[in-house]
Amino acid sequence: MSTRPPLPADLAALVADPADRSLSVPLPPGRAVHSQEEDSDRPALWLSDGPAPEGLWTRLRAEHARSGLWPLLLDALDDDAEDYRPWASGEFAPGEMSSPAAHDPAALLADWWTRHADPATTPHGTRWPGSAPAPAAVGDPDRIADGLAEHLLAEHPSMRLGLVAADRGADALTTVGWFGPAEHTDDTAEISAVLRSWEDRFGARVVGVGFSTLLLSVAAPPTTPDAALAVAAEHFAFCPDNVWQGVSPLTAYAEHLVGDHSWSFWWD
């Protein structure tokens, strides 16, 4: 019989099978947050009341298989506001999202590319170049994710800790009903479907999430200009604003991806 401590009540309310879950990591003060747009007995996430303690994300990530809770470092639209939007204010809607398993990530990327590609921006014109191949070798995704979490908190110490009931980090955004990419797609499950593919191919992990921003760790980034350009095409399809309002054209954007173990996205 297991002697591991069960989930606290406010965490147990997040998961469908609390009797099968446990958590041995003590948490700072926090609370379960419900969506303000839905009437549901199940909260969307657990949120710390204050900044995430150093090292806690790593310990919770290591406990994920037993707890069923994926940790997120959460930024707000205004860090000083009491409602810490969208997280403390409950501005999300999990019930409006479909399932990531219902979507083909390659088809999603091809469709988004066709909608947004501009010959002036990309060397491929409007023709979808195809998905980037998986690297021959992938490093340690957990080690890379832990390192990025530590770096992120050092750069942004006000970020709070969130816990979401999800089998994998890619699904956490859909589970919580995040609206961050609403200007690109109103179904965050489509975003999660692509993230699942990046988890499998590149050892990506979801680490930080803001009002409309996303930060991933990447265990196997592209190591050559050609490989980087293939990944850059996926990034453009996934989040055109990265190029339109960031580094343009796509060839210049790709240069920044070579050897980079973190990918960031921002939807305007």
Side-chain angles (χ1 to χ4, degrees):
M1 182 176 178
S2 174
T3 59
R4 292 177 57 83
L7 293 178
D10 54 352
L11 294 182
L14 297 176
V15 301
D17 51 354
D20 300 327
R21 299 297 185 177
S22 62
L23 183 67
S24 62
V25 178
L27 295 176
R31 63 184 178 91
V33 182
H34 291 257
S35 165
Q36 69 177 14
E37 301 190 12
E38 298 175 2
D39 183 15
S40 174
D41 293 334
R42 181 174 296 176
L45 81 159
W46 179 92
L47 177 69
S48 65
D49 291 338
E54 182 179 356
L56 185 56
W57 190 94
T58 295
R59 297 177 65 191
L60 290 166
R61 192 274 311 153
E63 290 264 320
H64 171 253
R66 292 182 288 269
S67 71
L69 299 168
W70 185 261
L72 298 171
L73 293 177
L74 301 175
D75 203 0
L77 188 62
D78 182 353
D79 288 349
D80 296 327
E82 291 184 7
D83 54 5
Y84 206 75
R85 298 178 62 198
W87 313 110
S89 58
E91 294 174 65
F92 30 77
E96 295 185 12
M97 309 304 169
S98 64
S99 167
H103 304 282
D104 177 354
L108 287 170
L109 291 169
D111 179 57
W112 289 334
W113 176 276
T114 301
R115 294 186 194 182
H116 300 295
D118 182 337
T121 305
T122 75
H124 308 291
T126 57
R127 178 184 58 84
W128 170 236
S131 299
V138 177
D140 183 346
D142 292 337
R143 180 182 63 82
I144 299 298
D146 295 346
L148 180 60
E150 292 179 10
H151 174 76
L152 185 59
L153 273 181
E155 293 289 322
H156 304 280
S158 64
M159 297 184 81
R160 297 194 193 182
L161 174 70
L163 290 171
V164 179
D167 291 336
R168 53 199 295 177
D171 292 359
L173 304 180
T174 298
T175 299
V176 78
W178 180 55
F179 281 134
E183 295 298 322
H184 187 56
T185 173
D186 58 4
D187 186 359
T188 304
E190 295 181 344
I191 297 297
S192 290
V194 174
L195 294 179
R196 283 183 172 192
S197 178
W198 289 351
E199 284 181 344
D200 296 338
R201 282 184 290 153
F202 305 110
R205 296 292 183 266
V206 176
V207 176
V209 191
F211 191 86
S212 58
T213 58
L214 176 65
L215 181 66
L216 312 177
S217 63
V218 184
T223 57
T224 67
D226 286 345
L229 187 58
V231 172
E234 294 199 24
H235 282 207
F236 177 80
F238 183 76
C239 181
D241 287 328
N242 267 29
V243 176
W244 285 343
Q245 302 190 48
V247 179
S248 183
L250 196 69
T251 49
Y253 178 86
E255 293 175 4
H256 293 268
L257 297 180
V258 176
D260 190 354
H261 286 279
S262 65
W263 294 347
S264 61
F265 303 93
W266 168 60
W267 291 270
D268 187 8

